[in-house]
Amino acid sequence: MKLQTDSTDQLIYENDLLQLTVLGGIKLEGLDRMRSTLKVQLQESSRPPVRHNLDLYNDTQLEKFIRKCAEKLEIGTSILAGSFAELTEELEKYRLEEIKKKEENLKPKFKKLNLAEIEEAKTFLKSKDLLSKTNKLIGKSGVIGEEINRLLMYLIFTSRKREQPLHVVSLGSSGTGKTHLQEKVGELIPEEERVSITTLSENAFYYFGKQELKNKVILIEDLDGAENALYPLRELQTKKRIVKTIASKNHKGETQTKYLVVEGPVCVAGCTTKEHIYEDNANRSFLIYLDESTIQDEKIMQYQRQLSAGEINTYEQKEIQEFLQNTQRILKPITVRNPFAEYLCLPSAVFKPRRTNNHYLQFIEAITFYYQYQRESKFDSQTGEEFIEVTIEDISNANYLLKEVLLRKSDELTGSCRNYLEVLKIYLKTKKKKDFTGLEIRTQLRIKESTLRNYHKQLQLLGYIKRNTNKKTRSYTFELVISKDYETLQKDIQTALDKALQNIKKPKNNSK
């Protein structure tokens, strides 16, 4: 008779003579043993049952238990031995089935799109002003404000399907919504193609399956809590493969070397408040600074009020999330070539131009990749490889989205210090003054004393402000020395980007 598994804590096996009950169920871990607590009783008999805890794979324990049951129940040992063998077979089948179910449940569910869903997604990806329409849908899915950052992040996540995925680090003060932005945009990527991680141990990445992370988005909630795992993470970003050797013993007790291999490529996203700590990771990633303005604060608070009042259609948000996931599912890996690449020159002010230049070119390709249903497929005459080409529209879109990123990459100040300096300039302009004290700014702009001291130290070191001491009162004030540097930098970058577009159009016109 088949094993009765109605209750996982009480598995029952019956035949014509006996009822065997496994009390407390069976452990799924450790297939080399079958530890169980058994209750053995005769069918339709008043004799008390026999209970015992043993390993069914241990012959010595099992033989002793069979003799004990035969004596107390007055039944032949051969019948008991046969019943226990049948029970063991059934328990093995049950355990393997349960392990398989558990593994299947842990796997992300792959959604198979029907013809209507595929057609709807294709129609959207072929639509005019695709980026603008995508950005509106991202907003309707529950991402409030951050219009540039959210679209930038979405396109970076889309690059996971390419051979050279992009990466992103979100920076901002505590409580500005870095994790929320990353999480909400991450929800627009199919569940089976993203991995969300809250905390990471040093060796965590090595124990993923060989291809478990391949072409996936890895969302790390807090980089500050994952410092020990950053090295293998960087290796996975750069080399697209990490390998670790461990020593283990085989069944003979002999020591042998095992290789743990995890393959990429992967797209990595993380959040932090500590910009200066993650320079190596930041060099490999796009840095986006969250909007900490009062306007963004009001947008978020208004949304929170509407949500609390039940005015937000969360069902519609879920539908939009699923729709954007479907559009991601139908994007196919395809080679992108940029015929204009040699004419694209970064502004000379950009720090670390080699990596930034590569990011710039790859982001342009990521936009073309997203537009793949609007680009003509071409084939290499020598290799036969299928590819699509970058258009001037793609470069123009990239320049618009990356203007702030390139600006930050060109700034010698850290993002948080730059944000403070720009707010300080506005304050001093309003007050029509150049001098200020630390106490005044701390009070008026509501900044912590230790944070303000760090900002002033950086600004003094780079010559943006200077400290003046009053010899009579022995007090000191700060004076703003450089005031229009950011505006000049913005103009330089915009000019360089505009000039690059003009250079592209010239050779195109000459070739006609």
Side-chain angles (χ1 to χ4, degrees):
M1 188 175 174
K2 193 177 178 183
L3 189 70
Q4 296 175 31
T5 59
D6 299 334
S7 169
T8 55
D9 288 330
Q10 186 170 281
L11 307 174
I12 300 171
Y13 179 79
E14 292 181 316
N15 57 29
D16 294 337
L17 291 173
L18 293 166
Q19 178 178 299
L20 309 178
T21 306
V22 183
L23 301 172
I26 198 87
K27 285 187 177 180
L28 302 182
E29 301 81 21
L31 292 178
D32 59 336
R33 65 186 71 86
M34 192 173 280
R35 197 81 193 168
S36 54
T37 300
L38 297 180
K39 177 184 175 184
V40 184
Q41 60 193 111
L42 289 169
Q43 298 278 26
E44 299 177 2
S45 172
S46 59
R47 285 182 181 275
V50 183
R51 298 175 181 85
H52 194 63
N53 182 287
L54 78 160
D55 184 354
L56 286 169
Y57 287 167
N58 188 312
D59 283 343
T60 305
Q61 290 181 14
L62 188 58
E63 283 177 15
K64 285 182 181 178
F65 186 52
I66 287 171
R67 288 198 297 270
K68 181 180 178 182
C69 290
E71 182 183 330
K72 291 198 172 184
L73 299 177
E74 295 183 356
I75 189 173
T77 54
S78 59
I79 294 171
L80 283 162
S83 298
F84 282 125
E86 290 167 4
L87 172 66
T88 304
E89 283 285 331
E90 289 296 322
L91 286 175
E92 282 179 345
K93 289 178 189 175
Y94 166 75
R95 184 157 68 173
L96 289 172
E97 285 172 5
E98 288 299 303
I99 290 171
K100 191 175 180 181
K101 279 183 197 173
K102 189 177 179 183
E103 288 175 349
E104 287 298 320
N105 289 334
L106 288 173
K107 286 180 183 177
K109 302 294 182 288
F110 286 82
K111 180 181 176 182
K112 189 172 182 180
L113 303 184
N114 58 43
L115 290 174
E117 289 172 327
I118 292 171
E119 199 54 44
E120 188 183 14
K122 280 185 179 179
T123 302
F124 176 75
L125 290 172
K126 290 176 182 177
S127 61
K128 192 179 178 183
D129 298 326
L130 177 59
L131 287 187
S132 177
K133 288 179 180 177
T134 300
N135 206 357
K136 284 178 183 175
L137 285 182
I138 295 172
K140 287 182 179 178
S141 74
V143 183
I144 309 306
E146 300 287 358
E147 285 80 2
I148 298 292
N149 285 339
R150 71 194 188 193
L151 183 57
L152 194 65
M153 188 178 282
Y154 182 76
L155 290 168
I156 288 169
F157 289 173
T158 301
S159 74
R160 74 194 180 282
K161 292 192 171 188
R162 307 194 68 232
E163 277 301 308
Q164 297 284 345
L166 301 168
H167 315 284
V168 61
V169 174
S170 301
L171 296 151
S173 307
S174 180
T176 52
K178 300 179 297 297
T179 306
H180 178 74
L181 176 66
Q182 179 176 282
E183 180 187 320
K184 295 301 287 184
V185 177
E187 286 174 359
L188 308 179
I189 303 302
E191 184 185 351
E192 67 271 17
E193 295 179 27
R194 70 176 188 263
V195 178
S196 298
I197 298 171
T198 306
T199 56
L200 271 173
S201 62
E202 185 175 356
N203 295 316
F205 279 112
Y206 295 105
Y207 291 94
F208 281 99
K210 186 175 181 180
Q211 296 202 327
E212 194 176 347
L213 297 179
K214 194 176 180 72
N215 296 118
K216 290 188 179 177
V217 177
I218 301 174
L219 304 172
I220 302 171
E221 189 175 305
D222 183 11
L223 282 173
D224 300 345
E227 290 181 51
N228 293 332
L230 293 181
Y231 175 71
L233 184 64
R234 288 196 295 269
E235 291 293 291
L236 198 55
Q237 286 175 288
T238 305
K239 297 180 181 176
K240 305 185 192 69
R241 191 172 186 262
I242 52 173
V243 182
K244 183 181 179 68
T245 55
I246 59 169
S248 64
K249 292 188 177 181
N250 60 20
H251 65 284
K252 294 180 182 178
E254 299 168 338
T255 302
Q256 58 184 14
T257 300
K258 279 189 177 180
Y259 292 91
L260 302 176
V261 181
V262 181
E263 293 182 347
V266 295
C267 168
V268 180
C271 304
T272 181
T273 56
K274 302 173 182 176
E275 180 181 348
H276 60 284
I277 292 179
Y278 304 102
E279 187 175 356
D280 283 342
N281 289 74
N283 288 339
R284 292 166 172 80
S285 309
F286 283 86
L287 304 183
I288 61 173
Y289 294 83
L290 265 73
D291 184 355
E292 300 184 28
S293 67
T294 52
I295 295 172
Q296 175 67 6
D297 289 342
E298 185 51 44
K299 283 181 185 177
I300 292 171
M301 290 188 289
Q302 179 60 23
Y303 175 80
Q304 291 168 343
R305 288 190 284 265
Q306 287 178 319
L307 189 64
S308 181
E311 294 176 12
I312 301 296
N313 187 341
T314 53
Y315 179 74
E316 183 190 29
Q317 288 184 346
K318 195 71 180 171
E319 279 191 326
I320 291 170
Q321 284 178 5
E322 289 177 4
F323 174 70
L324 287 174
Q325 286 177 9
N326 290 345
T327 64
Q328 288 285 322
R329 287 185 176 102
I330 69 166
L331 290 171
K332 305 296 181 186
I334 189 168
T335 301
V336 177
R337 294 186 182 180
N338 187 350
F340 308 108
E342 61 184 296
Y343 303 105
L344 296 171
C345 298
L346 281 179
S348 57
V350 170
F351 293 120
K352 298 182 180 171
R354 293 182 186 181
R355 268 197 170 143
T356 305
N357 183 60
N358 196 35
H359 287 163
Y360 176 50
L361 294 173
Q362 285 178 350
F363 186 74
I364 293 169
E365 290 179 17
I367 291 177
T368 306
F369 178 80
Y370 188 56
Y371 271 88
Q372 63 182 251
Y373 283 92
Q374 300 186 39
R375 300 288 179 262
E376 179 190 354
S377 289
K378 297 184 178 181
F379 295 88
D380 191 299
S381 57
Q382 294 181 331
T383 64
E385 181 186 27
E386 184 182 4
F387 65 93
I388 55 176
E389 287 188 340
V390 169
T391 66
I392 293 176
E393 180 193 1
D394 299 334
I395 297 168
S396 181
N397 284 328
N399 287 353
Y400 171 71
L401 290 171
L402 291 181
K403 193 160 53 177
E404 181 68 20
V405 171
L406 293 174
L407 184 61
R408 297 288 191 169
K409 286 272 187 183
S410 309
D411 196 358
E412 61 185 344
L413 299 176
T414 62
S416 55
C417 188
R418 168 57 68 186
N419 291 342
Y420 162 68
L421 180 58
E422 294 309 303
V423 171
L424 176 65
K425 287 178 189 176
I426 293 169
Y427 170 77
L428 292 175
K429 189 176 180 180
T430 305
K431 298 291 182 181
K432 296 180 181 178
K433 56 193 290 191
K434 275 195 172 185
D435 292 351
F436 59 95
T437 65
L439 177 62
E440 175 189 2
I441 297 303
R442 199 167 72 243
T443 307
Q444 295 296 320
L445 302 185
R446 298 173 65 82
I447 299 173
K448 278 177 22 179
E449 195 273 333
S450 57
T451 305
L452 190 65
R453 189 167 59 246
N454 288 333
Y455 290 156
H456 286 173
K457 185 177 178 182
Q458 187 180 158
L459 292 171
Q460 278 183 266
L461 188 65
L462 295 172
Y464 286 84
I465 62 173
K466 69 176 183 179
R467 194 169 83 164
N468 299 319
T469 305
N470 188 317
K471 293 180 181 178
K472 290 182 180 179
T473 60
R474 292 187 178 180
S475 62
Y476 61 85
T477 59
F478 293 102
E479 179 187 346
L480 183 65
V481 179
I482 303 173
S483 61
K484 292 187 177 179
D485 62 304
Y486 209 50
E487 292 88 337
T488 304
L489 193 57
Q490 283 176 318
K491 286 178 184 176
D492 289 346
I493 288 172
Q494 188 60 58
T495 302
L497 295 176
D498 291 342
K499 189 176 178 182
L501 274 177
Q502 289 169 9
N503 288 338
I504 288 167
K505 291 170 184 176
K506 283 176 185 176
K508 188 176 180 184
N509 291 332
N510 292 337
S511 64
K512 285 184 178 180

